[in-house]
Amino acid sequence: MSSLFVKNASAIVTCDDQDTVLENASILIRDGAVAYMGPEDQAADETLDASGCIVYPGLINTHHHLYQTFSRNLPQVQNMELFDWLRTLYEIWKNLDREAVYHSSIVGMAELLKTGCTTVFDHHYVFPGGAGDLLEAQFAAAGDLGVRMYASRGSMDLSKKDGGLPPDSVVQTVDEILRDCQRAVEKYHDPSPLSMRMVALAPCSPFSVSAELLRQSALLARDLGVRLHTHLCETRDEERYVLEKYGKRPLAYMEDLGWVGPDVWYAHGIHFNDTELKLLADTGTGVAHCPISNMKLSSGVCRIPEMLELGVPVGLAVDGSASNDGSNLLEELRMAYLLHRLHASERAPSGYECLKTATRGSARVLGREDIGSLEPGKAGDLFLIRRDRMELVGADLDVKSLLGTVGFKGPVDATVVNGKVVVKDGRLTGVDEEKAVREARACVQNYLNR
């Protein structure tokens, strides 16, 4: 048994059902789970001094492409929209291997940890022939950092010759994909409470996979008891593609293939109409909201106020680093707040509602009841911010809304995952940062010059 005592926090924002904020309180985490919250001192193996700090539940990222960390800020794609952007970048991504995936995962997840994110979902769907077990590389990176990892066995079976966007070298047959999906779930998926390793099945998008792959993936996922994820309704180009090829709107197409329900969530979900929003709500189908990526690629504004009013499961996400150019979920949280204030005025979610979207909402989207709030029995995932920082003077009167309305530029002072301190004084504890940077810089240069 291991234990951590987070001692004497100035305020603890729990995000529980009552929206409780505890003042001058502490948290005992035992064997990864919260065992006590309150004013009393508790014996523990390790103590983390939280004096003068605000404690928040760990943020949860519901959509990412960590491999894209090594194709950020490339000048040739900066003014492109999604389809042209993808066609250009696939010529780089087809050179991925285990080394590039490991180091790009380290860089992306390190930034997430340093900005308060404790659970990372990654949508990896580029599997070049002969690249090896790329999910193993991701889980190795997550283990070295100490982050809670939710990976996906993504897939593509339509290349350029089939009318899709990717080159032939990164697509596979349906049978090859399904075999490896089953292998990945059997090898890596742990559905137990407080799990640090989970796997979803995640065909890439309606314009890079066949109807057969979507249908068979849904059947296999339900047979294996895992969740389903894909991109949907991200752009008008996608909508036109599906209408022209299949004669129906994207959500109706996916519904016909078994892709609605509480075990399904979509990335982006920008271009749903009113009837489709109601279907999402009625079926419990979730959406990963990626505001910065949506703005950068000129994709549109997701209808988050309407979704929240209807009860659609909504989580927050940074999306791939090449369409965001970062992995900062705190920045994403504030951008979500500002975007919807601009676009929806008084109907927009408050700063605190944006925080709950990134915690409880994201946990719901991932089907996790053990993360997303600070309560006895739930995971000991949290982060700390000192109140005595110059930039927070006069800004911390409402600690619940602060991260949305004022924002915090990070890195945070400490991050705890599963009861273990993985960021302390703004520095990673699981890896040598200087060494990790040197190795990653060498790797990215080698990768981009192939």
Side-chain angles (χ1 to χ4, degrees):
M1 293 179 69
S2 61
S3 55
L4 173 71
F5 189 49
V6 183
K7 183 176 181 180
N8 196 32
S10 174
I12 301 172
V13 179
T14 67
C15 292
D16 65 8
D17 287 345
Q18 292 75 42
D19 298 321
T20 305
V21 176
L22 301 175
E23 296 185 352
N24 302 315
S26 303
I27 304 174
L28 175 66
I29 303 169
R30 184 180 294 122
D31 283 348
V34 175
Y36 168 83
M37 299 174 68
E40 306 290 334
D41 277 354
Q42 303 287 318
D45 300 325
E46 183 181 358
T47 297
L48 178 62
D49 186 4
S51 300
C53 291
I54 311 167
V55 177
Y56 293 97
L59 307 181
I60 300 165
N61 187 40
T62 57
H63 182 71
H64 207 332
H65 308 294
L66 287 163
Y67 74 88
Q68 293 182 9
T69 307
F70 281 3
S71 51
R72 291 191 278 175
N73 196 30
L74 298 178
Q76 62 266 40
V77 299
Q78 290 307 312
N79 292 318
M80 291 180 178
E81 295 187 16
L82 182 66
F83 276 25
D84 290 336
W85 180 88
L86 284 168
R87 287 188 188 97
T88 304
L89 286 171
Y90 275 131
E91 295 305 311
I92 294 172
W93 299 340
K94 69 183 183 182
N95 296 315
L96 281 170
D97 59 15
R98 284 171 51 94
E99 182 186 28
V101 168
Y102 173 83
H103 288 292
S104 60
S105 296
I106 285 283
V107 172
M109 290 192 288
E111 184 177 3
L112 283 162
L113 280 175
K114 291 175 117 182
T115 56
C117 177
T118 53
T119 298
V120 179
F121 172 80
D122 189 62
H123 186 187
H124 190 93
Y125 56 86
V126 180
F127 290 88
D133 190 343
L134 301 184
L135 294 192
E136 183 176 63
Q138 288 198 305
F139 280 120
D144 290 344
L145 291 167
V147 70
R148 199 179 297 278
M149 179 73 184
Y150 201 141
S152 66
R153 206 308 181 174
S155 53
M156 296 187 290
D157 69 329
L158 296 181
S159 68
K160 287 180 180 178
K161 72 178 188 311
D162 309 306
L165 301 179
D168 293 347
S169 61
V170 297
V171 303
Q172 299 166 296
T173 68
V174 173
D175 287 344
E176 287 173 329
I177 290 165
L178 295 176
R179 277 197 302 271
D180 199 57
C181 284
Q182 180 153 352
R183 180 200 66 84
V185 171
E186 291 173 350
K187 183 174 183 179
Y188 297 117
H189 183 65
D190 174 13
S192 63
L194 307 182
S195 172
M196 296 290 285
R197 288 186 168 198
M198 299 187 80
V199 178
L201 301 191
C204 180
S205 63
F207 50 84
S208 57
V209 304
S210 65
E212 183 65 11
L213 177 56
L214 287 166
R215 184 183 295 107
Q216 293 301 325
S217 294
L219 292 171
L220 179 61
R222 286 169 180 139
D223 184 54
L224 296 173
V226 298
R227 298 176 77 77
L228 287 162
H229 180 62
T230 193
H231 301 90
L232 198 73
C233 291
E234 182 176 359
T235 67
R236 292 297 186 191
D237 284 342
E238 174 205 308
E239 184 178 296
R240 284 189 290 270
Y241 175 94
V242 177
L243 278 167
E244 290 170 6
K245 186 162 186 175
Y246 303 107
K248 56 190 72 176
R249 288 175 55 79
L251 184 58
Y253 170 65
M254 298 300 286
E255 183 183 17
D256 287 348
L257 298 172
W259 274 75
V260 295
D263 58 348
V264 177
W265 84 103
Y266 299 127
H268 302 289
I270 297 168
H271 300 290
F272 291 120
N273 62 31
D274 291 348
T275 302
E276 292 164 344
L277 289 182
K278 187 174 187 308
L279 176 64
L280 296 176
D282 290 345
T283 58
T285 307
V287 171
H289 180 36
C290 311
I292 294 177
S293 171
N294 297 345
M295 287 188 278
K296 179 171 181 181
L297 292 177
S298 301
S299 300
V301 180
C302 189
R303 299 176 64 185
I304 295 300
E306 294 96 323
M307 289 182 185
L308 294 177
E309 288 169 8
L310 289 168
V312 176
V314 177
L316 196 64
V318 299
D319 195 19
S321 294
S323 62
N324 181 319
D325 290 313
S327 299
N328 186 330
L329 204 55
L330 282 173
E331 181 182 40
E332 205 77 40
L333 196 163
R334 186 163 190 246
M335 287 300 102
Y337 169 76
L338 293 174
L339 174 65
H340 297 296
R341 283 289 300 147
L342 172 66
H343 199 253
S345 188
E346 72 276 0
R347 294 185 68 191
S350 68
Y352 180 50
E353 286 169 330
C354 288
L355 171 63
K356 287 198 290 185
T357 297
T359 52
R360 295 190 62 143
S362 289
R364 183 185 176 195
V365 162
L366 295 184
R368 302 274 310 236
E369 298 181 354
D370 54 347
I371 57 177
S373 60
L374 291 171
E375 304 175 69
K378 290 201 171 186
D381 293 1
L382 53 87
F383 66 98
L384 282 65
I385 295 173
R386 289 192 347 264
R387 297 181 87 148
D388 63 359
R389 293 168 173 269
M390 183 72 75
E391 62 268 31
L392 293 186
V393 174
D396 61 344
L397 301 178
D398 178 2
V399 292
K400 292 192 295 186
S401 295
L402 185 153
L403 299 177
T405 55
V406 177
F408 183 78
K409 306 309 182 286
V412 300
D413 291 287
T415 304
V416 174
V417 181
N418 213 40
K420 292 182 169 41
V421 181
V422 295
V423 173
K424 190 169 186 179
D425 299 324
R427 303 277 294 176
L428 301 168
T429 65
V431 299
D432 178 332
E433 283 200 37
E434 285 75 15
K435 180 183 178 185
V437 169
R438 286 196 307 272
E439 291 177 346
R441 288 180 68 86
C443 180
V444 72
Q445 290 302 317
N446 180 51
Y447 166 61
L448 291 177
N449 289 328
R450 286 173 189 165

